[in-house]
Coordinates of all heavy atoms in Angstrom, one line a residue:
M4 N 157.7 -64.8 72.5 CA 158.1 -63.6 71.8 C 157.2 -62.4 72.2 O 157.6 -61.3 72.4 CB 158.0 -63.9 70.3 CG 158.5 -62.7 69.4 SD 160.2 -62.4 69.7 CE 160.5 -61.0 68.8
R5 N 155.8 -62.7 72.3 CA 154.9 -61.7 72.7 C 155.3 -61.1 74.1 O 155.1 -59.9 74.3 CB 153.5 -62.2 72.7 CG 152.9 -62.3 71.4 CD 151.5 -62.8 71.5 NE 150.8 -62.7 70.3 CZ 149.5 -63.1 70.1 NH1 148.9 -63.6 71.1 NH2 149.0 -62.9 68.9
I6 N 155.7 -62.0 75.0 CA 156.0 -61.5 76.3 C 157.2 -60.6 76.3 O 157.2 -59.6 77.0 CB 156.2 -62.8 77.3 CG1 154.9 -63.5 77.4 CG2 156.8 -62.3 78.6 CD1 155.0 -64.8 78.2
V7 N 158.2 -60.9 75.5 CA 159.4 -60.1 75.5 C 159.0 -58.7 74.9 O 159.4 -57.7 75.5 CB 160.4 -60.8 74.6 CG1 161.6 -59.8 74.3 CG2 160.9 -62.1 75.2
V8 N 158.2 -58.6 73.9 CA 157.7 -57.3 73.3 C 156.9 -56.6 74.4 O 157.1 -55.4 74.5 CB 156.9 -57.6 72.0 CG1 156.3 -56.2 71.6 CG2 157.8 -58.2 70.9
A9 N 156.1 -57.3 75.1 CA 155.3 -56.6 76.1 C 156.1 -56.0 77.2 O 155.9 -54.9 77.7 CB 154.2 -57.6 76.7
V10 N 157.1 -56.8 77.6 CA 158.0 -56.3 78.7 C 158.8 -55.1 78.2 O 159.0 -54.1 78.9 CB 159.0 -57.4 79.1 CG1 160.1 -56.9 80.0 CG2 158.2 -58.5 79.9
L11 N 159.3 -55.1 76.9 CA 160.0 -54.0 76.4 C 159.2 -52.7 76.3 O 159.6 -51.6 76.6 CB 160.6 -54.4 75.0 CG 161.8 -55.3 75.0 CD1 162.2 -55.7 73.6 CD2 163.0 -54.8 75.8
I12 N 157.9 -52.9 75.8 CA 157.0 -51.8 75.8 C 156.7 -51.2 77.1 O 156.8 -50.0 77.4 CB 155.7 -52.2 75.0 CG1 156.0 -52.4 73.5 CG2 154.6 -51.1 75.2 CD1 154.8 -52.9 72.8
F13 N 156.5 -52.1 78.1 CA 156.3 -51.7 79.5 C 157.5 -50.9 80.0 O 157.3 -49.8 80.6 CB 156.0 -52.8 80.4 CG 155.9 -52.5 81.9 CD1 154.8 -51.9 82.4 CD2 157.0 -52.7 82.7 CE1 154.7 -51.5 83.7 CE2 156.9 -52.3 84.0 CZ 155.8 -51.7 84.5
A14 N 158.7 -51.4 79.8 CA 159.9 -50.7 80.2 C 160.0 -49.3 79.6 O 160.4 -48.4 80.3 CB 161.1 -51.6 80.0
A15 N 159.8 -49.2 78.3 CA 159.9 -47.9 77.6 C 158.9 -47.0 78.2 O 159.2 -45.8 78.5 CB 159.7 -48.1 76.1
L16 N 157.6 -47.4 78.4 CA 156.6 -46.5 78.9 C 156.9 -46.1 80.3 O 156.7 -44.9 80.7 CB 155.2 -47.1 78.8 CG 154.6 -47.3 77.4 CD1 153.3 -48.0 77.5 CD2 154.5 -45.9 76.8
A17 N 157.4 -47.0 81.1 CA 157.7 -46.7 82.5 C 158.8 -45.7 82.6 O 158.8 -44.8 83.4 CB 158.1 -48.0 83.3
S18 N 159.9 -45.9 81.7 CA 161.0 -44.9 81.8 C 160.5 -43.5 81.4 O 161.0 -42.5 82.0 CB 162.2 -45.4 81.0 OG 161.8 -45.4 79.6
V19 N 159.7 -43.4 80.4 CA 159.2 -42.1 80.0 C 158.3 -41.5 81.1 O 158.5 -40.3 81.4 CB 158.3 -42.2 78.7 CG1 157.6 -41.0 78.4 CG2 159.2 -42.6 77.5
G20 N 157.5 -42.3 81.7 CA 156.6 -41.8 82.8 C 157.5 -41.3 84.0 O 157.2 -40.3 84.6
L21 N 158.5 -42.1 84.4 CA 159.3 -41.7 85.5 C 160.1 -40.4 85.2 O 160.3 -39.6 86.0 CB 160.3 -42.8 85.8 CG 159.7 -44.0 86.6 CD1 160.7 -45.2 86.7 CD2 159.1 -43.6 87.9
A22 N 160.6 -40.3 83.9 CA 161.3 -39.1 83.5 C 160.4 -37.9 83.6 O 160.8 -36.8 84.1 CB 161.9 -39.2 82.1
M23 N 159.1 -38.0 83.2 CA 158.2 -36.9 83.3 C 157.9 -36.5 84.8 O 157.9 -35.4 85.1 CB 156.9 -37.3 82.6 CG 157.0 -37.3 81.1 SD 155.5 -37.9 80.3 CE 154.4 -36.6 80.7
M24 N 157.8 -37.5 85.6 CA 157.6 -37.3 87.1 C 158.8 -36.6 87.7 O 158.6 -35.6 88.4 CB 157.3 -38.6 87.8 CG 156.0 -39.3 87.4 SD 154.6 -38.3 87.8 CE 154.3 -38.7 89.5
R25 N 160.0 -37.0 87.3 CA 161.2 -36.3 87.8 C 161.3 -34.9 87.4 O 161.6 -34.0 88.1 CB 162.4 -37.1 87.4 CG 162.7 -38.3 88.2 CD 164.1 -38.8 87.9 NE 164.1 -40.3 88.2 CZ 164.2 -41.2 87.3 NH1 164.3 -40.9 86.0 NH2 164.2 -42.5 87.6
S26 N 160.9 -34.6 86.1 CA 161.0 -33.2 85.6 C 159.9 -32.4 86.4 O 160.2 -31.2 86.7 CB 160.7 -33.2 84.1 OG 159.4 -33.5 83.8
L27 N 158.8 -32.9 86.7 CA 157.8 -32.1 87.5 C 158.3 -31.8 88.9 O 158.2 -30.7 89.4 CB 156.5 -32.9 87.5 CG 155.7 -33.0 86.3 CD1 154.4 -33.8 86.5 CD2 155.3 -31.6 85.8
V28 N 158.9 -32.8 89.5 CA 159.4 -32.6 90.9 C 160.6 -31.6 90.8 O 160.7 -30.8 91.7 CB 159.9 -34.0 91.5 CG1 160.6 -33.8 92.7 CG2 158.7 -34.9 91.7
G29 N 161.4 -31.7 89.8 CA 162.5 -30.8 89.7 C 162.1 -29.3 89.6 O 162.9 -28.4 90.0
R30 N 160.9 -29.0 89.0 CA 160.5 -27.7 88.9 C 159.9 -27.1 90.1 O 159.7 -25.9 90.2 CB 159.5 -27.6 87.7 CG 160.1 -27.7 86.4 CD 159.1 -27.4 85.3 NE 159.6 -28.0 84.1 CZ 158.9 -28.4 83.1 NH1 157.6 -28.4 83.2 NH2 159.4 -28.9 82.0
T31 N 159.6 -27.9 91.1 CA 158.9 -27.4 92.3 C 159.9 -26.5 93.0 O 161.0 -26.9 93.3 CB 158.5 -28.5 93.2 OG1 157.7 -29.4 92.4 CG2 157.7 -28.0 94.4
P32 N 159.6 -25.3 93.3 CA 160.5 -24.4 94.0 C 160.7 -24.9 95.5 O 159.7 -25.1 96.2 CB 159.9 -23.0 94.0 CG 158.4 -23.3 93.7 CD 158.3 -24.6 93.0
H33 N 161.9 -25.0 95.9 CA 162.2 -25.4 97.3 C 162.8 -24.2 98.0 O 163.7 -24.4 98.9 CB 163.0 -26.6 97.4 CG 162.3 -27.8 96.9 ND1 161.3 -28.4 97.6 CD2 162.4 -28.6 95.8 CE1 160.9 -29.5 96.9 NE2 161.5 -29.6 95.8
K34 N 162.5 -23.0 97.6 CA 163.1 -21.8 98.2 C 162.7 -21.7 99.6 O 161.5 -21.7 99.9 CB 162.7 -20.6 97.4 CG 163.6 -19.4 97.6 CD 163.3 -18.3 96.6 CE 162.0 -17.7 96.9 NZ 161.6 -16.5 96.1
P35 N 163.6 -21.5 100.6 CA 163.2 -21.3 102.0 C 162.5 -20.0 102.1 O 162.9 -19.0 101.5 CB 164.5 -21.4 102.7 CG 165.6 -21.0 101.7 CD 165.1 -21.5 100.4
M36 N 161.5 -20.0 103.0 CA 160.7 -18.8 103.2 C 161.5 -17.9 104.2 O 162.2 -18.4 105.1 CB 159.4 -19.1 103.9 CG 158.5 -20.0 103.0 SD 157.6 -19.0 101.9 CE 156.5 -18.1 102.9
D37 N 161.5 -16.6 103.9 CA 162.1 -15.7 104.8 C 161.2 -15.6 106.1 O 160.0 -15.9 106.1 CB 162.1 -14.3 104.2 CG 163.0 -14.2 103.0 OD1 163.9 -15.0 103.0 OD2 162.8 -13.3 102.2
A38 N 161.9 -15.4 107.2 CA 161.2 -15.3 108.5 C 160.3 -14.0 108.4 O 160.7 -13.0 108.0 CB 162.2 -15.1 109.6
P39 N 159.0 -14.2 108.9 CA 158.1 -13.0 108.9 C 158.7 -11.9 109.8 O 159.3 -12.2 110.8 CB 156.8 -13.5 109.5 CG 157.0 -15.0 109.4 CD 158.4 -15.4 109.4
V40 N 158.5 -10.7 109.3 CA 159.1 -9.5 110.1 C 157.9 -8.6 110.4 O 157.1 -8.2 109.5 CB 160.1 -8.8 109.2 CG1 160.6 -7.6 110.0 CG2 161.2 -9.7 108.9
A41 N 157.7 -8.3 111.7 CA 156.7 -7.4 112.1 C 157.2 -6.0 111.9 O 158.4 -5.7 112.3 CB 156.3 -7.7 113.5
P42 N 156.4 -5.0 111.4 CA 156.9 -3.6 111.4 C 157.0 -3.1 112.8 O 156.5 -3.6 113.7 CB 155.8 -2.9 110.6 CG 154.6 -3.8 110.7 CD 155.1 -5.2 110.9
P43 N 157.8 -2.0 112.9 CA 157.9 -1.4 114.3 C 156.5 -1.1 114.8 O 155.6 -0.8 114.0 CB 158.7 -0.1 114.0 CG 159.5 -0.4 112.7 CD 158.6 -1.3 111.9
P44 N 156.3 -1.1 116.1 CA 155.0 -0.9 116.7 C 154.3 0.4 116.4 O 153.1 0.5 116.4 CB 155.2 -1.1 118.2 CG 156.7 -1.1 118.4 CD 157.4 -1.4 117.1
D45 N 155.1 1.5 116.2 CA 154.5 2.8 115.9 C 154.3 3.0 114.4 O 153.9 4.1 114.0 CB 155.4 3.9 116.5 CG 156.8 3.9 116.0 OD1 157.2 2.8 115.5 OD2 157.4 4.9 116.1
V46 N 154.6 2.1 113.5 CA 154.5 2.2 112.1 C 153.4 1.3 111.6 O 153.5 0.1 111.8 CB 155.8 1.9 111.4 CG1 155.6 2.0 109.9 CG2 156.9 2.9 111.8
R47 N 152.4 1.9 110.9 CA 151.4 1.0 110.2 C 151.8 1.0 108.7 O 151.9 2.0 108.1 CB 150.0 1.7 110.4 CG 149.5 1.5 111.8 CD 148.2 2.2 111.9 NE 147.5 2.6 110.7 CZ 146.2 2.6 110.5 NH1 145.4 2.2 111.5 NH2 145.6 3.0 109.5
V48 N 151.9 -0.2 108.2 CA 152.1 -0.3 106.7 C 150.8 -0.6 106.1 O 150.1 -1.6 106.4 CB 153.2 -1.4 106.5 CG1 153.4 -1.6 105.0 CG2 154.5 -1.1 107.2
V49 N 150.4 0.2 105.1 CA 149.1 0.1 104.4 C 149.5 -0.1 102.9 O 150.3 0.7 102.4 CB 148.2 1.3 104.6 CG1 146.9 1.2 103.8 CG2 147.9 1.5 106.1
F50 N 148.9 -1.1 102.3 CA 149.0 -1.3 100.9 C 147.7 -0.9 100.3 O 146.6 -1.2 100.8 CB 149.3 -2.8 100.5 CG 150.6 -3.2 100.9 CD1 150.8 -4.0 102.0 CD2 151.7 -2.9 100.1 CE1 152.1 -4.4 102.4 CE2 153.0 -3.3 100.4 CZ 153.2 -4.1 101.6
W51 N 147.7 -0.2 99.2 CA 146.5 0.3 98.5 C 146.6 0.1 97.0 O 147.7 0.1 96.4 CB 146.2 1.7 98.8 CG 147.2 2.7 98.5 CD1 148.3 3.0 99.2 CD2 147.3 3.5 97.3 NE1 149.1 3.9 98.6 CE2 148.5 4.3 97.4 CE3 146.5 3.7 96.2 CZ2 148.9 5.2 96.4 CZ3 146.9 4.6 95.2 CH2 148.1 5.3 95.4
C52 N 145.4 -0.3 96.5 CA 145.3 -0.6 95.0 C 144.9 0.7 94.3 O 143.9 1.3 94.6 CB 144.3 -1.7 94.8 SG 144.1 -2.1 93.1
E53 N 145.7 1.0 93.3 CA 145.5 2.2 92.5 C 144.3 2.1 91.6 O 143.6 3.0 91.3 CB 146.7 2.5 91.6 CG 146.8 3.9 91.1 CD 148.2 4.1 90.5 OE1 149.2 3.8 91.1 OE2 148.2 4.6 89.3
N54 N 143.9 0.8 91.2 CA 142.8 0.6 90.3 C 141.4 0.7 91.0 O 140.5 1.4 90.5 CB 142.9 -0.7 89.6 CG 144.1 -0.8 88.7 OD1 144.5 0.3 88.1 ND2 144.6 -1.9 88.4
C55 N 141.3 0.0 92.2 CA 139.9 -0.1 92.8 C 139.9 0.6 94.1 O 138.8 0.7 94.7 CB 139.5 -1.6 92.9 SG 140.5 -2.5 94.1
G56 N 141.0 1.0 94.7 CA 140.9 1.7 96.0 C 141.0 0.8 97.2 O 140.9 1.3 98.3
T57 N 141.1 -0.5 97.0 CA 141.2 -1.4 98.2 C 142.4 -1.1 99.0 O 143.5 -0.8 98.4 CB 141.3 -2.9 97.7 OG1 140.1 -3.2 97.0 CG2 141.5 -3.8 98.8
E58 N 142.3 -1.1 100.3 CA 143.4 -0.9 101.2 C 143.6 -2.1 102.1 O 142.6 -2.6 102.6 CB 143.2 0.4 102.1 CG 143.4 1.6 101.3 CD 143.5 2.9 102.2 OE1 143.4 2.7 103.4 OE2 143.7 4.0 101.6
L59 N 144.8 -2.5 102.4 CA 145.2 -3.6 103.3 C 146.1 -3.1 104.4 O 147.1 -2.4 104.1 CB 145.9 -4.7 102.5 CG 145.1 -5.4 101.4 CD1 146.1 -6.4 100.7 CD2 144.0 -6.2 102.0
L60 N 145.7 -3.3 105.6 CA 146.6 -3.0 106.7 C 147.5 -4.2 107.0 O 147.0 -5.3 107.3 CB 145.8 -2.6 108.0 CG 146.6 -2.4 109.2 CD1 147.5 -1.2 109.0 CD2 145.6 -2.1 110.4
L61 N 148.8 -4.0 106.9 CA 149.7 -5.1 107.1 C 150.0 -5.3 108.6 O 150.4 -4.3 109.3 CB 151.0 -4.8 106.4 CG 152.0 -5.9 106.3 CD1 151.5 -7.0 105.5 CD2 153.4 -5.4 105.9
V62 N 149.8 -6.5 109.1 CA 150.1 -6.8 110.5 C 151.5 -7.4 110.6 O 152.3 -7.1 111.5 CB 149.0 -7.7 111.1 CG1 149.4 -8.1 112.5 CG2 147.7 -7.1 111.0
R63 N 151.8 -8.3 109.7 CA 153.1 -9.0 109.7 C 153.6 -9.1 108.3 O 152.8 -9.5 107.4 CB 153.0 -10.3 110.3 CG 154.3 -11.1 110.5 CD 154.1 -12.4 111.1 NE 153.7 -12.2 112.5 CZ 154.3 -12.6 113.6 NH1 155.4 -13.3 113.4 NH2 153.9 -12.3 114.8
R64 N 154.8 -8.7 108.1 CA 155.4 -8.7 106.7 C 156.0 -10.1 106.5 O 156.9 -10.5 107.2 CB 156.4 -7.6 106.6 CG 157.0 -7.5 105.2 CD 157.7 -6.1 105.1 NE 157.3 -5.6 103.7 CZ 157.2 -4.4 103.4 NH1 157.5 -3.4 104.3 NH2 156.9 -4.0 102.2
G65 N 155.6 -10.8 105.4 CA 156.1 -12.1 105.1 C 157.3 -12.0 104.1 O 158.2 -12.8 104.1
S66 N 157.3 -10.9 103.3 CA 158.4 -10.7 102.3 C 158.4 -9.3 102.0 O 157.5 -8.5 102.3 CB 158.2 -11.6 101.1 OG 157.2 -11.1 100.3
E67 N 159.5 -8.9 101.3 CA 159.6 -7.5 100.9 C 158.7 -7.1 99.7 O 158.4 -5.9 99.5 CB 161.0 -7.2 100.5 CG 162.0 -7.2 101.7 CD 161.7 -6.1 102.7 OE1 161.4 -5.0 102.3 OE2 161.7 -6.4 103.9
A68 N 158.2 -8.1 99.0 CA 157.3 -7.9 97.8 C 156.0 -7.4 98.3 O 155.4 -7.9 99.2 CB 157.3 -9.1 97.0
A69 N 155.4 -6.4 97.6 CA 154.1 -5.9 97.8 C 153.1 -6.9 97.3 O 153.3 -7.6 96.3 CB 153.9 -4.6 97.2
P70 N 151.9 -7.1 98.0 CA 150.9 -8.0 97.5 C 150.3 -7.4 96.2 O 150.5 -6.3 95.9 CB 149.9 -8.0 98.6 CG 150.1 -6.9 99.4 CD 151.5 -6.5 99.3
R71 N 149.6 -8.3 95.4 CA 149.0 -7.9 94.2 C 147.5 -7.8 94.3 O 146.9 -8.6 95.0 CB 149.4 -8.9 93.1 CG 150.9 -8.9 92.9 CD 151.3 -10.0 91.8 NE 150.9 -9.7 90.5 CZ 151.5 -8.9 89.7 NH1 152.7 -8.4 90.0 NH2 151.0 -8.6 88.5
H72 N 146.9 -6.8 93.6 CA 145.5 -6.7 93.5 C 145.2 -6.1 92.1 O 145.9 -5.3 91.6 CB 145.0 -5.7 94.6 CG 143.5 -5.9 94.9 ND1 142.6 -5.2 94.4 CD2 142.9 -6.9 95.7 CE1 141.4 -5.6 94.9 NE2 141.6 -6.6 95.7
C73 N 144.1 -6.6 91.6 CA 143.7 -6.2 90.2 C 144.8 -6.5 89.2 O 145.0 -5.8 88.2 CB 143.2 -4.7 90.1 SG 141.8 -4.4 91.1
G74 N 145.6 -7.5 89.5 CA 146.7 -7.9 88.6 C 147.9 -7.1 88.6 O 148.8 -7.3 87.8
E75 N 148.0 -6.1 89.6 CA 149.2 -5.3 89.7 C 149.7 -5.2 91.1 O 148.9 -5.4 92.0 CB 148.9 -3.9 89.1 CG 148.6 -3.9 87.7 CD 148.3 -2.5 87.2 OE1 148.6 -1.5 87.9 OE2 147.8 -2.3 86.0
S76 N 150.9 -4.9 91.3 CA 151.5 -4.7 92.6 C 150.8 -3.5 93.3 O 150.6 -2.5 92.7 CB 153.0 -4.5 92.6 OG 153.6 -5.7 92.3
M77 N 150.5 -3.7 94.6 CA 149.9 -2.6 95.3 C 150.9 -1.6 95.8 O 152.1 -1.9 95.9 CB 149.1 -3.2 96.6 CG 148.1 -4.2 96.2 SD 147.2 -4.8 97.6 CE 146.0 -3.6 97.9
N78 N 150.5 -0.3 96.0 CA 151.3 0.7 96.4 C 151.5 0.7 98.0 O 150.5 0.2 98.7 CB 150.8 2.1 96.1 CG 150.7 2.2 94.5 OD1 151.7 2.1 93.9 ND2 149.5 2.6 94.0
T79 N 152.6 1.1 98.5 CA 152.9 1.0 99.9 C 152.8 2.4 100.5 O 153.3 3.4 99.9 CB 154.3 0.4 100.1 OG1 154.4 -0.8 99.4 CG2 154.5 0.2 101.6
R80 N 152.2 2.5 101.7 CA 152.2 3.7 102.5 C 152.5 3.4 103.9 O 151.8 2.5 104.5 CB 150.8 4.4 102.4 CG 150.7 5.7 103.1 CD 149.4 6.4 102.9 NE 148.3 5.7 103.5 CZ 147.2 5.3 103.0 NH1 147.0 5.5 101.7 NH2 146.3 4.7 103.6
E81 N 153.5 4.0 104.5 CA 153.8 3.8 105.9 C 153.3 5.0 106.7 O 153.6 6.1 106.4 CB 155.3 3.6 106.1 CG 155.8 2.4 105.5 CD 157.2 2.1 105.9 OE1 157.8 2.9 106.6 OE2 157.8 1.0 105.4
E82 N 152.5 4.7 107.7 CA 152.0 5.8 108.6 C 152.6 5.6 110.0 O 152.6 4.6 110.6 CB 150.4 5.6 108.7 CG 149.7 5.7 107.4 CD 148.3 5.3 107.5 OE1 147.9 4.8 108.5 OE2 147.6 5.6 106.5
V83 N 153.2 6.7 110.4 CA 153.9 6.7 111.7 C 152.9 7.3 112.7 O 152.4 8.4 112.5 CB 155.2 7.6 111.7 CG1 155.8 7.6 113.1 CG2 156.1 7.0 110.6
G84 N 152.6 6.5 113.7 CA 151.7 6.9 114.8 C 152.3 8.0 115.7 O 153.5 8.1 115.8
R85 N 151.4 8.8 116.3 CA 151.9 9.8 117.3 C 152.1 9.1 118.6 O 151.3 8.3 119.0 CB 150.9 10.9 117.4 CG 151.0 12.0 116.3 CD 150.2 13.1 116.6 NE 148.8 12.8 116.1 CZ 147.8 13.5 116.3 NH1 147.8 14.6 117.1 NH2 146.6 13.2 115.8
A86 N 153.1 9.5 119.3 CA 153.3 9.0 120.7 C 152.2 9.5 121.6 O 151.9 10.7 121.6 CB 154.7 9.4 121.2
E87 N 151.6 8.6 122.3 CA 150.6 9.0 123.3 C 151.2 9.4 124.6 O 152.1 8.9 125.0 CB 149.6 7.8 123.5 CG 149.0 7.3 122.2 CD 147.8 6.4 122.5 OE1 147.4 6.4 123.6 OE2 147.4 5.8 121.5
R88 N 150.5 10.5 125.1 CA 151.0 11.1 126.4 C 150.0 11.0 127.4 O 148.8 11.0 127.2 CB 151.5 12.5 126.2 CG 152.6 12.5 125.2 CD 153.0 13.9 124.8 NE 153.9 13.9 123.6 CZ 154.6 14.9 123.3 NH1 154.6 16.0 123.9 NH2 155.4 14.7 122.2
Ligands
LIG102 ZN1 142.3 -3.6 93.1

């Protein structure tokens, strides 16, 4: 009788554990990444933080969303270079 109770308890705990693992796996985002896009060669994209003044020069754009700094989205500034002669 003890063995039957032990097996039933094990089965109940195992099913609860597996259900928890499945729910964790189901929440993992499997969104495909967008292909990185480089800005045009004569355009420099600079992100700057309004709070602390940090500036980031963007070399390759991974998504359309601006990076975050000091807990807020950074501002975007595009600088068009002059054609060299
Ligand atoms: Zn900042």
Side-chain angles (χ1 to χ4, degrees):
M4 184 66 184
R5 282 183 170 176
I6 292 177
V7 173
V8 172
V10 168
L11 288 176
I12 290 174
F13 172 78
L16 290 177
S18 66
V19 169
L21 287 175
M23 289 174 68
M24 294 296 277
R25 277 193 210 108
S26 70
L27 288 176
V28 170
R30 284 189 199 146
T31 306
H33 291 289
K34 197 170 70 175
M36 297 279 291
D37 294 335
V40 178
D45 59 337
V46 176
R47 288 177 11 145
V48 180
V49 177
F50 290 101
W51 57 279
C52 177
E53 200 171 309
N54 291 333
C55 69
T57 296
E58 288 193 356
L59 296 174
L60 174 62
L61 187 71
V62 175
R63 182 178 295 241
R64 185 165 223 150
S66 72
E67 291 297 317
R71 298 176 67 86
H72 202 264
C73 294
E75 296 180 10
S76 287
M77 299 180 86
N78 297 307
T79 307
R80 182 177 69 233
E81 291 191 0
E82 301 173 346
V83 180
R85 278 187 274 171
E87 299 197 13
R88 296 176 192 193

